[in-house]
Every structure is written in C-alpha cells, then in structure tokens.
Amino acid sequence: MINVTEAFKNAAKSPVRVWQAKLLSLDSERQSFTSGDFLASISIESAGELFSTSASIVKAKLLGVDYDLEGDEFSVEFSLLVADDTEETIGYGAFVVSKQTTNLEKGYTEIEMYSKMLQLQAMEYNSDSFTFPCTVSNLAEQIARTTGLIATDMGNLPNVDYNIQENLYEKITGANYRNILGEIAGATGTMAYINNSTSEIIFRPPQRDVQDLLTYDNMLKCDIKGKYGPINSVVLSRTPQEDNIVLVDEESVEKNGLCEVKLANNEIMDDNRQVFAQPLLNTIDDFEWTGFEITTEGHGWYEVGDRIKIAKKTIPDEYIPVEYLNSHGTEAIDTGVLNKDGINVELKASLDDTQGTGYDAAVFGARNGSNNATRNIVWFNNSNLSSHTLQWAYALKTKNDTSPEYDTVYKIEFKNKIFLVDNVIKQDFSEQTLTESNITLGLFGFKNSATGFDGRCFRGKVYSCKIWDGRELVRNFVPVVRKIDNKPGMYDTVNDIFYVNKRSGEFTYGEEIEDTVETYEGIITNISITMDGGMKEILKGVTPQGTTTDYATAGGITKTIYNTQIKVDKQQNEITSIVQRQDQTDQEMQDNYTEIHQNLNSIVNTIQTSGGGNLLKNSVGFDVLNNGVLSSWASDGSVISGTSPSSLSSGAISGNQITLGTGSSITQRVYVASDGNTKYSFSTRIFKSIVGNARITIFNTNQSFEVNLSDQTAFAWRQVSILAIEPTMGYFDVKIENIDAPILHITDTMFAQGDTSTPWQQASSEILNTQVALTSDGVKVKSSTYSGDYVQITPLEFAGYSSASGTSKKVFTVNRETTEVQKLSVVDEIDMVPIKIVPIKNGNRAGWSFVKVS
C-alpha cells in the first residue's frame, strides 16, 4: 500500500474532493502535463497474481497533436487538496511512453506508457550477463544488475538459498526478464513487482494481515465473489505430460476439503521439485481470501497484493431484516439449488412445541420418490427413521439421544459429507456418492419432485441458511420482510434475490433487527483508476478458477526416463534414431517411443504406445472428412472441431477440441475384452457454461454407465471419468451428447485398459494433428492456408483435392500408370520422346515449338 497521510485519507473520503493529475517529464527540457492544462484524462491499470508478477500500464489523452513522445519517461502523480491552500501528492513512479496515436480530426493525442515490469517483458534474456551456479536470490540480483534495477533483500523467503546449477534460460527462445522474475516468485511463494519510484525489485509474500478497511460508506458498488482456500496442497507440475509432485496438508483437507495451488513448468523448480514443495506449502498453508469487485469513492493508495477487509451491508433498504422466519407445517421455500454431490449446507433452526412427538419434521433437503432414495434431508424428529434406507440423511438428536428440545436453536452443518450439530460430528457420509437429480433443495421442508414438496414440513424457526456448491457460496439466506407489502421471506445476499413461500399459509417472523454487516478479506489483484474530472477507482480480487488437478496419477508418476539417441552403422549403411519416454507409475510401466530406421533401400517409421493405448479413434477431432464430418464418429446435429489454446492452459494435452452445438451428439463403438479379468476406464475434459445439460453414456445391450453434466454447473475443462468398467460383452458404444447447453467442448477423450484414467494419447495406428492425418487408411496432409485443400495417399490413390472452384474436387491423381490432372501449369518444357514442347515467349512468333528430342 502506498504510504499517505491521514489528512490525505480524510480528504479522499470527504464529500467534496479536488484532484489533479500530473505527467512530469524526467527530462527537464521536455514538456510536462497536468489536468489543469493539456492533460484531458488519464488512467492506470494494474494487474498481478500470487506466485507470479504484477505490472501496470498508463493511458493518457492529451489536447493537441504536435507531440513526439515515444520513448520519453514520465512520472505519474495525483495530487489532492487537503486544506484550503495545501495539496498532498501520491506518486505512482516512472513510466515510459511506448505508443502514441494522433487524431488530427478531433485534435488530441493518446499515449500508452509501460511500467518497469512491462519494460522487462520486452527485454530478451542475455545469457552472457549471468554466472552460474547461483542461488535463487542471486539470480534476482543478477537480473537487477543487468536491467539497471535495484535488488532488495529476500530475507527468509522459502527456497531463496537453493543453488541453480546451470544457465536454465540459455536455450529457451523468447525468454525475457519478466518471465524469469515470475518463476522466482513461484519458487519463493511470492508476488514479484517493481517499485516504479525507487526501481526496487520486491518479492512480496501472500499478505495475511489486513492493510485497510473498506466500509459501506467507502463503496459505491460492492460485489462479493466466491471464497478461495484455505490452501492445503501444492502441486508442482510438468505439462503436458502431467508429471506431478503433490504435497498435501491432510488434516486441513479433512477439515476444509482440498484446495490446491498448481505451479506448472517452472524451470527453476523443474529438476528438483521435491525440495521446493514443502517450503512452499509451509508458506501458504491455510492461506485464504474472498474474491470481490468494488467501486470505491476514489482513494488511489492501493497496490496489487494488498489484503483489505470489506464490511458490506447485507440487505437493501427495501427490506427489513428480522430475527427469524417461523413456519407452521404448510410453508416452504424452493432454494433453486440442484440436489447433487458436492452441496454443503449450514443453517440455524429451532423446533416449535406445536410439532408434537412422533411427527416428521424435515427442515431442509430433497429426495426422489421412495424412502430408499432419500437424499440430503435434515430431520428434526422422525418416529420411523429406522424404516428408511437413507443416503445423506440424519435425525437430529440431543446429547441424551432423545428428540430435540423445543425452542432450542441448533447449528446444523453438512460440510464435506460430514453431518455436524453444534460443531459436534454426528455422522460421516464421505464414502457415499450422491446421484445427480433434477430436483432442487427445499428449505422449511424437503422437495420430492421438480415442483412439489413432501407434506411433512417443518414447524419451527429458521434464523439463517447458507448453501455452497463445492467451495462456491451460492445462497446466503437472511430472514426479511418486504416493506412495500409486509411480505415475509428469505433474501439471498449472494444473488440479491427475494425468495417467498411456495406453499399455502404464510410465514410469521421475529423482531426487527439491525442489518448485519458481513466482513470479508480479499487480496487485490486488479486496480483501475481513471482521472477524468474526478477519480473513479475499481478494485478486483480475482481468485484462481478450478485449480484442482483432474488426472489420475497426480504424484503417481514415480519415475520418468527419457532416451534420445542416433545410431550410425557405417558397415551396414544404416541409421537408426529413437525418441523414447518411460513412465513408471504406481501401477505399471508405460513405454512410448518413435523410431526411424534408414538404409540404402528404405526408410521405416515405427510408432509404439503401450500401457493404456486409446481405443477411441480420432478422439479429439483432428481428422475431418471432405464433407466436414469427423472420421470414426457417428454424429448428429452440429459437430465441428478446431484448435483449443484455452484447454492447454488448463492442463490438457492434445490442444484440439470437438464442439457440439445444442441438441448434437457423437457416438463411436469400441471393442473390448469381456473375459472378466480386464477393466477399462473412460475420461474426457469438458468445457460447459453454467446453463444447460449434457450427458456422457457408455453402453451396450447389457450395461450402461452415465455421467450427467447438469444445468447450473459449469465445467472449465474439468476432467470427467468413468473408472474400472468390467465389460460383459465384447463392445461398448461411447456417446457424448449436448442436450440443451448453448455449447459444449470436449478434449483429451480416452477409453483405455486399466482401472484409472491415463493421460491422453492417440489410438494405435493413427498419428493426427491439425495438418496431418495418418491412419490405417492412409495419409492425408491438409493445407493450413486454404480450407478444403489437401493431399491424400491411400492404397488406391495418390491424389490432391482443392476447393478453389467453390466445391471440393479431385484436381490430380496417380491412377496406377496414369496421372490425371484438372489443370496443368508447366514452366519450361513438356518432354515426351521423340518430341518435346518448348515455349517461345518473345517476338512475333510467340507460342509453342515442337522439336525433336536429341
């Protein structure tokens, strides 16, 4: 946080503020600008993330067009009038003009200026300026010395004394100093930033102490996002092969669920990741924060990485908060949250004496029909629970194992499949998996259909209710009364929606209470400040998205051996080259290699994949037929394929995706062994928005396995698996269908032997990418420039196809001893004994000359 006086803070929070922006040239002979003269507007955008770097960019509009500012360096300052004649200044340091755009028609000039960190991004690594071996901290010092910056003491940060044996970046094309500082930040569990005023490189640990408080009075708009953490796992990964080192705080995982930080392909840690993992986990263990987006009244002193506390008023002025809502056996609320695996709940409730003994009282939940399908139900009192085959249900008991006491407020929790009452564990359901359903959860009663409630509803008071989908808070119900019509209900502060009774009768309610102020702590990752007459400031705290590792062998690859060699036998006139990788996992050895053998008469290519070969052909859609249909798949509806850079950044391997439009599906049959001894596993990576349903089905005449990708559940390249399938027939049909989602992407689809999912690879007998398809049918080489143009080699033809005429057609072919062409262009001559055709290109006799072949 930038240091400012209390007088400055008070002036920034006052109703009337007088700001001035300044661009001060660091060259005394060059022009400076202020918002009082030629500086029309200015904005500063800063962004960063933990375990990486932070940088800023300044954009300014200047009145006039007669400027030549590229390469100039300016100091950026904002001043604020704190008394009648007294100004105080907040400085953001020096920035270099990298781009200038002049609008002659409107008479202004726009410039972009980069912070020192962005300048480092444009500086290519110079290996001659560095000496190895060196420690991690010494590498930072050498970068500072090489780039004209100042290194600061890295103190007791983790791994700073680790010795780097070799020049890691010498042979990496495009390596720059910002990237290397980011890898140092990852290795030390920090955020790297440069103080633009002092030119110091600073490595800032995750902030656990609050630097500032933002209250309801300081915020024009406040949107609280999901919570992240507590962090309890570190994954150091090499992608795309997904060779991972995993370290976990098991006690924290049991208590809070798994939340990991994944750092991939860090050159500093790559060769000795086991050494780095424990110090990193020690640094960030149990670290947590909440995401947010806030528009402040305009302060200006925050920096990326600051930890702030946000005190947010929960209820809008149109509603009156009350102590509780009271139901009488006829009222209930539909929460709108689907009943499924991964739902966590916390509520406070008490039972009225009108409930009576021997009556059922379900305060929360849903079920599908019969008793043996009960799910997620919290029973306060149930005379015949013993007759139910329960899944995730619990009859609340007091310490004396009797029915609960009336008018006693109980705190009831269902978190990470553990049922607690007043913080005491009552039952553990961690071994159970809840079947997905289309029934939403009820409050004050349980739902037993998509639209209806069971009649055995609760008679009592609910004081609060929170619902999480995994780690994301999706409902926070507060009892309120709507002022305009005195309607009681629950106000959801997460989505700002008022929920009312969905059955007969009406809730009564408790005394009016003061609106609660909920507090959250967040880490600032993005800052946007605009000075255009006044100051507008937006702060964001972006939390990582879906970082949990979705592959089966996280930490399971115990040893990886790489072998690359070329053998030359001069006596036999032969050359053999081999590229090989062996992965030894907890279960088996996987051997992947390619080999090229060349002698005087032939060149032989050998490609082998053993230990988990894919049974699905064209599994990510590289091979597209002439009519645009994917080969090997039976498709229905709109199905296309293309590259997928976003999936690679989420840990995928292939880099290609199959896209299914609404109502579309693809199906492929695979043949399997039904000997009773062989197991198979299926996995794929899914991208689906929160809206809509999709489904994966693996089936034959006797068996069916299904995964429903439900509405209101988003998939951001999350891996979905069906493991340890034991066939009873010799085939399975694999069907993936988009029921009603706007769009569905899939990648890295695998169906292979084994009882765990394996990293993606192609099927035997095929080599596919965006330009080449090599299968048992032959070879196809596609043009990356002209869509529809390709060359194909099969046992029956060597031919070229083109869509230059508007439709794809064969333009040349070698048909046994005859070559046929659609069009032929010859440069010098056409030769066919005993004559040849030679062009005459100049003079009055330009044309063809038929001459005898000598």
Side-chain angles (χ1 to χ4, degrees), residues 69-204:
L69 301 176
E70 284 196 31
D72 284 7
E73 193 169 11
F74 289 88
S75 175
V76 178
E77 295 181 356
F78 291 164
S79 63
L80 179 62
L81 191 66
V82 299
D84 289 341
D85 296 315
T86 305
E87 279 188 347
E88 287 193 16
T89 297
I90 184 168
Y92 297 96
F95 295 78
V96 173
V97 178
S98 62
K99 182 179 178 181
Q100 174 178 314
T101 304
T102 301
N103 191 318
L104 295 175
E105 180 182 355
K106 296 186 178 180
Y108 65 79
T109 300
E110 293 180 316
I111 60 173
E112 288 187 6
M113 301 188 292
Y114 287 170
S115 68
K116 296 183 186 296
M117 184 64 79
L118 286 176
Q119 295 168 41
L120 292 192
Q121 186 172 322
M123 297 175 63
E124 191 168 338
Y125 175 74
N126 181 6
S127 61
D128 295 336
S129 303
F130 289 77
T131 303
F132 293 88
C134 71
T135 63
V136 172
S137 60
N138 183 247
L139 177 60
E141 293 169 2
Q142 293 189 68
I143 291 175
R145 184 177 64 247
T146 302
T147 57
L149 300 172
I150 300 171
T152 54
D153 183 11
M154 298 179 72
N156 296 320
L157 295 177
N159 301 315
V160 291
D161 295 325
Y162 176 81
N163 224 19
I164 304 170
Q165 295 297 320
E166 58 182 328
N167 195 335
L168 300 173
Y169 307 96
E170 182 177 17
K171 297 181 180 180
I172 298 179
T173 303
N176 62 68
Y177 294 116
R178 181 184 181 181
N179 288 349
I180 300 172
L181 288 179
E183 296 202 345
I184 295 174
T188 57
T190 60
M191 177 191 292
Y193 75 99
I194 299 173
N195 186 314
N196 290 303
S197 298
T198 63
S199 297
E200 295 175 291
I201 302 176
I202 299 170
F203 294 90
R204 190 179 192 184

Side-chain angles (χ1 to χ4, degrees), residues 401-443:
D401 198 32
T402 60
S403 297
E405 296 178 1
Y406 298 129
D407 298 322
T408 299
V409 179
Y410 292 91
K411 178 185 177 183
I412 306 165
E413 298 174 272
F414 185 74
K415 292 185 176 180
N416 302 315
K417 300 189 180 183
I418 297 175
F419 193 98
L420 305 96
V421 178
D422 291 338
N423 300 317
V424 177
I425 295 176
K426 295 292 185 179
Q427 194 154 347
D428 186 346
F429 297 94
S430 59
E431 299 301 320
Q432 297 189 28
T433 300
L434 182 64
T435 305
E436 299 271 347
S437 77
N438 64 347
I439 300 179
T440 52
L441 293 160
L443 180 60

Side-chain angles (χ1 to χ4, degrees), residues 312 365 393 505 563 657 667 682 792:
K312 182 187 178 185
N563 177 31
Q657 68 187 24
T667 306
F682 169 87
Q792 184 164 285

Side-chain angles (χ1 to χ4, degrees), residues 693-735:
N693 299 272
R695 182 166 52 235
I696 299 170
T697 312
I698 298 175
F699 62 97
N700 54 33
T701 302
N702 297 334
Q703 297 170 283
S704 181
F705 305 90
E706 188 173 285
V707 175
N708 289 305
L709 312 174
S710 302
D711 184 38
Q712 300 303 306
T713 302
F715 291 77
W717 296 120
R718 193 189 336 171
Q719 181 167 298
V720 174
S721 303
I722 302 175
L723 306 179
I725 302 171
E726 298 185 41
T728 60
M729 298 184 67
Y731 76 92
F732 276 114
D733 287 327
V734 177
K735 184 175 184 179

Side-chain angles (χ1 to χ4, degrees), residues 527-548:
I527 302 173
S528 173
I529 300 175
T530 301
M531 191 76 77
D532 187 2
M535 175 187 279
K536 179 182 179 181
E537 180 180 52
I538 299 175
L539 308 177
K540 293 182 181 180
V542 180
T543 57
Q545 299 296 313
T547 61
T548 302

